[in-house]
Amino acid sequence: MKLGTLCYIRDNNKTLLLHRTKKKNDSLANFWIGLGGHVDIENGESPHECIVREVMEESGLVVEPKLRGIITFHNVEPEKDDWYAYLFTASEFQGSLIDSNEGDLQWIGGEKLDEINIPDGDRLFLQWIQENNQLFSAKFTYENGKLQDHKVIFY
């Protein structure tokens, strides 16, 4: 099991997304996703510290993240570890966008979210974080890259 983080940065009705276009052998190639990455557990990094670091590295922005959910991604990448991810949002940030080495960053308006290539599970939890402020725990089960099942509990 890998421990990771995700952050969706909001500015008015726009969300900052990363279009994964630059990494080789990327299982998320051509998808639009939030910012984030691996928690450096070996060096004692917390999920909060990780998301602040990852957002800065990938976007140049310094965020004040808010924990919104905890997600288990089961079998999202066949024959690889499952993911346990902390999901954050941020509406307070400073800095200017930089060129990301993982893809192209773009502010996407709410109406455009239905038109772009977002993973099925991500599309669900994006809806949850836009519709309510409750913390949630979810599990997404994939098979051959397709979402097969999900469960969620709101607290």
Side-chain angles (χ1 to χ4, degrees):
M1 180 81 67
K2 292 182 182 178
L3 183 59
T5 59
L6 275 170
C7 187
Y8 288 86
I9 303 168
R10 303 265 305 153
D11 188 18
N12 295 316
N13 76 333
K14 294 184 177 181
T15 303
L16 183 63
L17 295 176
L18 177 66
H19 191 203
R20 297 284 290 251
T21 57
K22 296 182 180 177
K23 291 177 88 173
K24 294 185 187 273
N25 303 318
D26 186 357
S27 63
L28 292 171
N30 297 314
F31 279 110
W32 292 85
I33 63 169
L35 304 176
H38 298 88
V39 177
D40 187 359
I41 299 169
E42 292 78 21
N43 288 311
E45 185 176 52
S46 72
H48 181 93
E49 292 167 332
C50 172
I51 200 58
V52 170
R53 174 184 55 78
E54 287 283 353
V55 168
M56 172 56 99
E57 289 174 2
E58 293 178 5
S59 72
L61 301 179
V62 177
V63 295
E64 293 290 332
K66 178 181 176 185
L67 181 63
R68 299 297 304 279
I70 301 170
I71 304 170
T72 301
F73 292 98
H74 175 62
N75 201 31
V76 72
E77 295 179 280
E79 300 181 25
K80 292 189 177 181
D81 290 337
D82 289 345
W83 281 88
Y84 191 67
Y86 285 76
L87 175 68
F88 296 90
T89 58
S91 57
E92 296 180 32
F93 57 88
Q94 296 178 348
S96 299
L97 290 180
I98 61 171
D99 186 36
S100 174
N101 64 351
E102 295 190 14
D104 301 309
L105 293 167
Q106 188 172 338
W107 291 101
I108 306 292
E111 69 283 352
K112 298 281 188 188
L113 289 174
D114 291 334
E115 300 172 13
I116 59 175
N117 191 23
I118 297 174
D120 293 337
D122 293 29
R123 193 172 298 282
L124 285 172
F125 63 70
L126 275 171
Q127 182 179 345
W128 299 339
I129 61 176
Q130 289 175 0
E131 291 177 354
N132 65 62
N133 285 322
Q134 292 178 286
L135 182 68
F136 69 87
S137 175
K139 179 179 179 182
F140 293 97
T141 301
Y142 286 80
E143 187 174 313
N144 298 320
K146 300 286 184 195
L147 182 64
Q148 297 300 307
D149 188 32
H150 76 279
K151 296 175 182 150
V152 64
I153 299 169
F154 291 95
Y155 300 98

